[in-house]
């Protein structure tokens, strides 16, 4: 498996992969109308294709034999908007998704290790993420990696105001690797 940065030529693929993995992950737990509204207003293909050009955003796709298995979006933050997180520089794992066919095959593990190594390369002491409070599989995965709940924040899915947990992992004393 290779985890590679998204190229300009792959932005449409990234957008489609983003939308599909989001639907695959959350559609069965939410109203169809809210999912569609979210996709139409907050998670459009055009918006997703523009995200790789935003400052301090890093996108990677996991590949095997020319097939995309998943993707992640990492964001480098100079300061924090959430009081439960440090104001020091951090890396947020904004998205980490595997395709349906790749779940349970080590893709998430490989991408998480990559994300932590990326954070270390940025010389940060903490990595954090938001996860829907009802996404028990993801919460267990993050806990296995040492992430702890630090707080929560609202997430609007269509018209449904939901709660995401803010989870963080301390990276300890870092040396550039």
């Amino acid at each position: 498996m290779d985890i590679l940065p998204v190229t300009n030529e792959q932005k449409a693929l990234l957008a489609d992969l983003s939308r599909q993995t989001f639907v695959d992950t959350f559609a069965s737990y939410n109203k169809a109308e809210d999912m569609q509204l979210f996709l139409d207003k907050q998670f459009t293909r055009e918006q997703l294709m523009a995200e790789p050009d935003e400052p301090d955003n890093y996108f990677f796709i996991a590949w095997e034999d020319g097939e995309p298995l998943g993707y992640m979006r990492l964001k480098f933050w100079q300061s924090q908007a959430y009081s439960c997180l440090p104001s020091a520089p951090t890396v947020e794992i904004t998205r980490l998704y595997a395709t349906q066919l790749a779940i349970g095959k080590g893709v998430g593990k490989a991408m998480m290790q990559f994300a932590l190594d990326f954070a270390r390369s940025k010389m940060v002491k903490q990595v954090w993420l938001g996860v829907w409070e009802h996404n028990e599989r993801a919460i267990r995965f993050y806990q296995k990696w040492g992430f702890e709940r630090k707080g929560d924040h609202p997430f609007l899915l269509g018209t449904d105001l939901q709660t995401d947990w803010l989870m963080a992992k301390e990276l300890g004393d870092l040396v550039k690797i």
Side-chain angles (χ1 to χ4, degrees):
M1 178 185 329
D2 294 309
I3 300 174
L4 303 171
V6 170
T7 65
N8 282 332
E9 295 77 26
Q10 295 168 334
K11 288 179 183 178
L13 168 69
L14 174 68
D16 294 341
L17 186 60
S18 299
R19 287 169 58 91
Q20 186 59 54
T21 55
F22 189 86
V23 169
D24 289 345
T25 303
F26 299 112
S28 64
Y29 302 101
N30 292 281
K31 293 180 191 172
E33 314 82 68
D34 283 324
M35 289 293 294
Q36 194 60 54
L37 184 59
F38 179 80
L39 292 171
D40 291 346
K41 300 289 183 193
Q42 298 165 260
F43 212 62
T44 69
R45 190 170 196 255
E46 294 75 23
Q47 289 168 324
L48 293 168
M49 287 176 64
E51 286 179 340
D53 296 327
E54 295 174 6
D56 296 322
N57 280 270
Y58 303 86
F59 286 83
F60 302 91
I61 296 177
W63 297 90
E64 188 171 78
D65 299 325
E67 291 296 317
L69 303 178
Y71 83 101
M72 67 184 139
R73 177 185 184 186
L74 307 176
K75 182 171 176 67
F76 178 71
W77 289 87
Q78 294 290 343
S79 61
Q80 282 309 331
Y82 300 110
S83 61
C84 62
L85 298 171
S87 59
T90 62
V91 168
E92 176 188 10
I93 302 172
T94 307
R95 297 185 202 126
L96 192 151
Y97 287 94
T99 63
Q100 285 291 84
L101 295 175
I103 291 174
K105 297 184 179 178
V107 176
K109 179 180 178 181
M111 288 193 298
M112 178 58 77
Q113 187 61 60
F114 187 97
L116 297 176
D117 292 342
F118 175 87
R120 287 183 180 95
S121 78
K122 292 290 188 184
M123 301 297 290
V124 302
K125 294 191 177 208
Q126 189 179 74
V127 176
W128 66 280
L129 53 86
V131 59
W132 186 35
E133 66 182 338
H134 298 299
N135 191 345
E136 295 174 7
R137 183 178 69 207
I139 290 170
R140 284 191 305 273
F141 174 78
Y142 298 135
Q143 288 171 333
K144 285 180 186 176
W145 281 90
F147 284 80
E148 297 176 355
R149 183 179 178 188
K150 300 293 184 181
D152 45 63
H153 71 100
F155 179 83
L156 186 62
L157 182 85
T159 62
D160 185 17
L161 188 59
Q162 301 180 351
T163 300
D164 278 3
W165 288 4
L166 295 174
M167 298 183 77
K169 175 183 176 63
E170 298 294 329
L171 295 178
D173 293 331
L174 301 179
V175 294
K176 189 160 185 158
I177 56 173

